[in-house]
């Protein structure tokens, strides 16, 4: 890709996140796609093939066992096609050093989900076992720049014109958004090898050596620019080409931490599976486009070259890349016969992933936007369900610890740090054995816990499929750009560029003997249609009431005899089901008609699982009186309404808190206009406003309620030294229920409430020169 350019909008909106550990593994390739290669595909004798294998790893903790599994798969393939070991050079982490350099994951117990979202999840998660890399029968060299430089220096005399060097990289990688030529392969000891640095090494080889790269590291597409090695008059000679797991600006799925402990994950495995069937690298790449159900965007050097040609042409013609591509596609499809292999490939990809097959970059972008909207909503809802699962799990863990306090010392950081992996596994097993019956002891809570887990898992599954679909659209966008680029190359003035592209395609046609005894893996099931998944998304959208709430203060629960799950409404969102039902700030919600909330914040769990659109009875306490409210939960909106201060003309939320001075605030409400003064002991403007505030109160006979979110003891200490006049009624709102209900974000704030209990004005701040900006009552 040209410096400073990026892939189209659809690539920018593709998620870089990934599914939880339950994500589906890479799938086997479909039968080979009919290739659209030059008629004479280049076949290399294995006697002239050399392999350079790089797995830097970075550090022992980050060097995933899956990387070495990739290497083993490659070595097995090379051995079966007759490549001698003395022509394979492996640079793996610290080389033949016996020190541990490889992280081998430990599986989690089946019941470990009972700890998800709790502090115990991280504390008890099985740690990876660190071992030393071993590839029997092969010498390992250290994956460092000096070692690679020595190898290339020696290879100048060993590799001659007509030889092929297969450069294989399975590793981590880093990107440079401003310069793809600075994308890097991670080497051992956290050193690295950039595109430019690898180019300098490749340029040491005999120009007649063909170099074919197969790279699966993150951001590997930046290395496609190595086609410039040996370029003549700015045009590639076709001596250097490659296949890459993803574009220059995307991570590769096989390197995500979430899949570190899984087997056969990543672009390489899909590629080797396809290669085993045909033996041809170009055919294998086409098969991967159909079979790889990860969020990768596999591409090859010739794709990048065609895009470079297209971008340059768009700039020359004063068009956007998308506009030029779509113009050229219209031209191409006037005679579809030459493009049938590409169109069939697009159709097969679309069928495999439940998508319509696009015929323009405009269609690709439109589909990507639709999928991205769904993906974002699924992601947010998955977090909601995961948070609820974690909350429920934490309640169970807390109950277990309360019943068995002797466990507490075992979870102290110092105690955990002394455990080896065997002892940690034993502790985890014993703790889960304690939790399991406790989790089942309260049927209603258990039912919620299972529902949260199932919905979180379904959201992850759907979100993963959306991530894959976005990547698949990016793949199809690359194919469409390739068609447009080839239309450009048919222009007579581009004959030399077309020759250069043909040379790259010939380079990519590296062919090894097929593996006739290879047994293909079972074909994967196609994805459901996108529209079917979009309908399924509705099942993970939680129900919504539309309130901000907090736990009812203990003193209030004690005074009214309420259960621990009683919730106090802090605010009501505009246009919400709660507003339609008549809920108001200050209401105490006890639970649905048939039961009572017994656990903290249970109101949220109940609401999320309530049937959308079905009326529910809620028991509420308002002003000391008990009443029933009918509320019909709605579908939680993708974006919640913005909550601000109560608007003039709306009902003023009650003032709740402990009276520090004067009468309890409830005795003032409804007795005429009153002024609520939000202040703090440290607030200079608050104190400065007191003379004007007290004068206003005397002049208009409006009582003042001074509300501070500081604790009673802090306020008592302040008034022990404050001798100047001050409002007679002072309330400690240390739970911030009242402050939140009035959306107080700064002090002083003044809220004038009329005799009907409605807000008349709301002002924030005080300036001595301007005085109080409060209208008469």
């Amino acid at each position: 890709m040209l410096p400073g350019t990026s892939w189209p909008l659809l690539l920018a909106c593709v998620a870089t996140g990934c599914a939880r550990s339950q994500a589906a593994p890479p799938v086997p390739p479909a039968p080979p796609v009919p290739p659209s290669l030059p008629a004479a595909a280049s076949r290399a004798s294995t006697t002239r093939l050399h392999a350079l294998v790089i797995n830097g790893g970075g550090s022992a903790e980050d060097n995933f066992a899956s990387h070495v599994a990739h290497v083993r798969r490659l070595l097995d393939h090379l051995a079966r096609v007759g490549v001698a070991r003395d022509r394979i050079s492996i640079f793996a982490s610290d080389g033949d050093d016996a020190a541990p350099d490889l992280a081998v994951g430990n599986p989690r117990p089946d019941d470990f989900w009972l700890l998800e979202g709790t502090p115990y999840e991280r504390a008890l998660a099985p740690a990876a076992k660190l071992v030393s890399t071993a590839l029997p029968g092969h010498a390992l060299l250290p994956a460092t720049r000096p070692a690679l430089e020595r190898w290339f220096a020696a290879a100048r005399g060993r590799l001659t014109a007509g030889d092929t060097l297969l450069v294989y990289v399975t590793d981590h990688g880093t990107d440079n958004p401003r310069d793809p030529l600075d994308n890097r392969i991670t080497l051992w000891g956290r050193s690295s090898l950039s595109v430019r640095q690898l180019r300098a090494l490749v340029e040491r080889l005999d120009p007649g050596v063909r170099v074919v790269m197969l790279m699966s590291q993150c951001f590997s597409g930046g290395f496609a620019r190595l086609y410039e090695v040996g370029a003549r008059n700015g045009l590639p000679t076709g001596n250097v080409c490659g296949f890459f797991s993803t574009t220059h600006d995307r991570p590769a799925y096989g390197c995500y931490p979430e899949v570190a402990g899984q087997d056969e994950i990543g672009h390489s495995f899909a590629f080797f599976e396809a290669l085993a069937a045909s033996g041809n690298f170009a055919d294998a790449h086409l098969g991967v486009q159909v079979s790889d159900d990860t969020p990768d965007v596999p591409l090859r050097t010739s794709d990048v070259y065609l895009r470079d040609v297209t971008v340059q042409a768009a700039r020359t013609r004063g068009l956007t890349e998308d506009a030029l591509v779509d113009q050229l596609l219209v031209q191409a499809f006037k005679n579809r016969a030459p493009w049938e292999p590409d169109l069939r490939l697009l159709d097969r990809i679309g069928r495999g992933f439940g998508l319509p097959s696009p015929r323009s970059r405009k269609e690709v972008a439109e589909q990507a936007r639709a999928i991205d909207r769904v993906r974002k909503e699924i992601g947010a809802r998955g977090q909601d369900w995961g948070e609820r699962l974690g909350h429920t799990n934490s309640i169970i863990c807390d109950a277990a610890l309360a019943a068995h306090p002797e466990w507490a010392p075992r979870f102290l950081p110092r105690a955990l740090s002394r455990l080896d992996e065997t002892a940690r596994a034993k502790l985890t097993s014993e703790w889960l054995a304690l939790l399991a019956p406790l989790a089942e002891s309260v049927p209603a809570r258990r039912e919620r816990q299972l529902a949260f887990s199932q919905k979180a898992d379904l959201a992850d599954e759907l979100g993963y499929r959306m991530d894959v679909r976005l990547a698949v659209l990016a793949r199809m966008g690359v194919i469409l750009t390739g068609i447009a680029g080839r239309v450009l190359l048919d222009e007579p003035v581009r004959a030399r560029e077309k020759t250069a592209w043909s040379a790259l395609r010939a380079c990519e046609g590296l062919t090894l003997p097929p593996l006739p005894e290879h047994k293909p893996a079972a074909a994967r099931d196609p994805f459901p249609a996108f529209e079917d998944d979009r309908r399924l998304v509705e099942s993970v959208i939680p129900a919504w009431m539309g309130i901000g709430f907090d736990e009812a203060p203990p003193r209030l629960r004690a005074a009214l005899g309420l259960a621990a799950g009683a919730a106090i409404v802090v605010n009501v969102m505009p246009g919400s089901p709660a507003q339609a039902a008549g809920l108001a700030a200050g209401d105490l919600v006890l639970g649905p008609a048939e039961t009572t909330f017994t656990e903290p914040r249970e109101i949220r769990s109940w609401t999320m699982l309530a049937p959308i659109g079905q009326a529910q009875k809620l028991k509420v306490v308002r002003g000391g009186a008990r009443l029933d409210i009918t509320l019909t939960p709605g579908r939680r909106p993708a974006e919640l309404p913005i909550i601000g201060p109560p608007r003039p003309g709306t009902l003023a939320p009650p003032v709740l808190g402990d009276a520090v001075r004067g009468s309890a605030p409830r005795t003032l409400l409804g007795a005429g206009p009153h002024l609520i003064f939000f202040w703090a002991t440290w607030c200079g403007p608050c104190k400065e406003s007191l003379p004007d505030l007290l004068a206003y109160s005397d002049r208009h006979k409006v009582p003042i309620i001074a509300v501070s979110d500081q604790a009673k003891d802090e306020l008592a200490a302040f008034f022990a030294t404050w001798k100047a006049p001050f409002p007679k009624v002072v309330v400690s709102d240390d739970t911030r229920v009242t402050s939140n209900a009035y959306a107080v974000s700064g002090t002083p704030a003044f809220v004038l409430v009329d005799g009907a209990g409605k807000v008349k004005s709301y002002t924030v701040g005080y300036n001595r020169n301007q005085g109080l900006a409060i209208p008469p009552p």
Side-chain angles (χ1 to χ4, degrees), residues 135-297:
L135 294 168
H138 291 273
L140 302 183
L141 300 168
T144 62
R145 272 238 309 275
L148 286 167
E149 288 171 352
R150 288 192 295 270
W151 187 91
F152 274 95
R156 173 76 185 192
R158 289 189 290 106
L159 274 66
T160 59
D163 285 343
T164 296
L165 175 63
L166 174 62
V167 178
Y168 177 74
V169 180
T170 172
D171 203 345
H172 298 293
T174 57
D175 67 331
N176 183 340
R178 293 177 296 181
D179 182 6
L181 295 182
D182 195 45
N183 283 9
R184 293 172 177 269
I185 299 166
T186 301
L187 298 179
W188 185 247
R190 300 195 181 280
S191 62
S192 62
L193 183 69
S194 72
V195 177
R196 288 187 179 90
Q197 290 163 344
L198 181 57
R199 172 177 175 168
L201 294 178
V202 171
E203 285 175 338
R204 297 183 184 181
L205 300 174
D206 186 305
V209 174
R210 177 171 62 167
V211 178
V212 180
M213 298 171 285
L214 179 57
M215 294 187 170
S216 291
Q217 79 274 15
C218 295
F219 314 108
S220 55
F223 287 81
R225 289 306 301 274
L226 287 178
Y227 73 65
E228 295 175 343
V229 171
R232 298 170 185 166
N233 299 318
L235 297 173
T237 62
N239 281 351
V240 180
C241 61
F243 303 88
F244 310 93
S245 61
T246 189
T247 57
H248 77 278
D249 52 359
R250 291 174 57 88
Y253 186 65
C255 291
Y256 287 9
E258 289 85 342
V259 298
Q262 298 185 48
D263 294 328
E264 299 196 354
I265 291 290
H267 168 256
S268 285
F269 284 106
F271 195 94
F272 291 139
E273 181 67 27
L275 186 63
S278 70
N280 181 274
F281 276 58
D283 287 354
H285 170 75
L286 297 178
V288 168
Q289 299 280 31
V290 180
S291 67
D292 187 352
D293 65 348
T294 73
D296 282 341
V297 184

Side-chain angles (χ1 to χ4, degrees), residues 30 167 202 208 311 350 391 456 459 532 576 594 666-667:
V167 178
V202 171
V311 168
H391 176 75
D532 291 341
S576 66
E594 67 279 3
R666 285 186 182 278
T667 62

Side-chain angles (χ1 to χ4, degrees), residues 687-710:
K687 300 168 189 174
E688 211 174 13
S689 72
L690 287 172
D692 280 352
L693 181 65
L694 294 170
Y696 179 95
S697 176
D698 290 340
R699 184 167 62 253
H700 296 291
K701 308 303 180 189
V702 173
I704 299 169
I705 307 173
V707 180
S708 172
D709 63 3
Q710 295 171 266

Side-chain angles (χ1 to χ4, degrees), residues 306-367:
L306 282 177
R307 180 170 184 264
D308 285 351
V309 171
T310 305
V311 168
Q312 290 284 23
R315 288 176 178 171
T316 301
R317 301 180 188 190
L319 297 172
T320 65
E321 180 189 348
D322 282 358
L324 177 58
V325 168
D326 283 353
Q327 283 184 12
L328 294 169
L329 289 173
V330 170
Q331 180 181 337
F333 295 152
K334 288 178 181 178
N335 178 14
R336 297 202 171 198
W339 312 107
E340 278 303 313
D342 304 272
L343 296 177
R344 287 199 300 271
L345 176 59
L346 287 169
D347 291 345
R348 292 182 60 201
I349 295 172
R351 287 195 301 272
F353 296 96
L355 293 172
S357 179
R359 292 296 184 265
S360 70
R361 285 275 289 270
K362 180 180 178 181
E363 291 178 37
V364 170
E366 288 172 349
Q367 289 189 51

Side-chain angles (χ1 to χ4, degrees), residues 376-426:
K376 287 176 179 176
E377 181 161 26
I378 293 171
R381 303 296 75 85
Q383 290 178 358
D384 290 338
W385 296 116
E387 184 271 334
R388 283 293 88 197
L389 175 61
H391 176 75
T392 305
N393 286 348
S394 294
I395 288 175
I396 295 169
C397 287
D398 290 346
L401 207 56
H404 299 276
E406 69 277 7
W407 272 81
R410 302 178 69 179
F411 290 123
L412 293 175
R414 182 181 300 175
L416 290 173
S417 67
R418 291 196 294 262
L419 299 179
D420 60 22
E421 195 56 35
T422 301
R424 184 185 296 269
K426 183 173 183 294

